[in-house]
Amino acid sequence: MHPPRRATLALLLAGACAPLAPTAPAETVNLPAAGLPVGAGDPTRGAILASSYAFGRPGTLQGNPAAAAEALAQLEYLTAELGTGGAWRDMDPLVSVELRQAREEARAALGFREAASAQAAVDALYGAAVALRRNDGVAAGAALVPLAAEGGSDAALARLAALPPLPRAASATARARAALNRRDSDRGRDDWNL
């Protein structure tokens, strides 16, 4: 009976030593000027707070395509930023998982290209938000061209104006906000213990 156990052990050890499959490089995103918070605020903290508010109260986005575009841009940004670790590696690891699911939900609901990079999505959505706030529908549609798939940019603008419910986005951004609050609380306690 020992030979089968040895064979099994040898297979397990061989598998453990096998090279790992290459992983996709981490997404990185640079915010355009329109995505930077006013003043000296942290853009990631600002995106967590603003997107959790927006998706948690979807009525505030109905009929407001500029606000919808901005909230979706923040979701795209957070998905990349919190998924890379870095300064945010001490966040709840489920946040990045839920954000990826929320981004998939949002892109599918809005007919956006699934394969678009986070940077292309952030640029397109913030560009559309800026143009919509200037009441320039033509520029907003042009900004969405790299992201829009089904029906083109006109259909994307219409979907932004009538944003469908995005429960995963609401859940993921709420989890991100709760994790941020825990992180702040833990750091506050650490400061008192110094």
Side-chain angles (χ1 to χ4, degrees):
M1 290 289 186
H2 290 295
R5 279 195 226 163
R6 285 187 186 146
T8 303
L9 181 59
L11 286 173
L12 288 173
L13 288 174
C17 295
L20 296 174
T23 58
E27 287 183 287
T28 57
V29 175
N30 294 309
L31 287 174
L36 297 174
V38 177
D42 175 6
T44 305
R45 176 180 295 279
I48 291 170
L49 297 175
S51 64
S52 65
Y53 179 86
F55 289 118
R57 292 159 189 81
T60 63
L61 302 177
Q62 285 298 312
N64 190 347
E70 192 168 281
L72 291 164
Q74 291 163 345
L75 175 64
E76 291 280 349
Y77 168 74
L78 290 172
T79 302
E81 184 68 14
L82 298 181
T84 60
W88 298 93
R89 67 186 167 278
D90 58 346
M91 289 281 277
D92 174 357
L94 291 178
V95 169
S96 63
V97 173
E98 283 196 29
L99 286 170
R100 282 192 303 274
Q101 293 170 348
R103 177 173 66 179
E104 289 172 13
E105 170 194 60
R107 286 186 180 191
L110 292 157
F112 291 162
R113 292 188 179 140
E114 187 179 317
S117 71
Q119 186 67 62
V122 165
D123 291 343
L125 289 162
Y126 272 122
V130 167
L132 287 165
R133 287 199 172 91
R134 288 190 323 248
N135 293 316
D136 189 346
V138 173
L144 289 173
V145 167
L147 190 54
E150 298 172 22
S153 59
D154 289 339
L157 284 172
R159 286 189 285 267
L160 284 174
L163 193 70
L166 299 171
R168 287 188 180 197
S171 173
T173 55
R175 181 181 280 273
R177 186 176 190 140
L180 177 64
N181 290 341
R182 275 192 306 278
R183 182 179 193 248
D184 288 348
S185 176
D186 290 347
R187 287 184 173 198
R189 273 187 253 135
D190 289 346
D191 290 344
W192 284 103
N193 293 328
L194 292 177

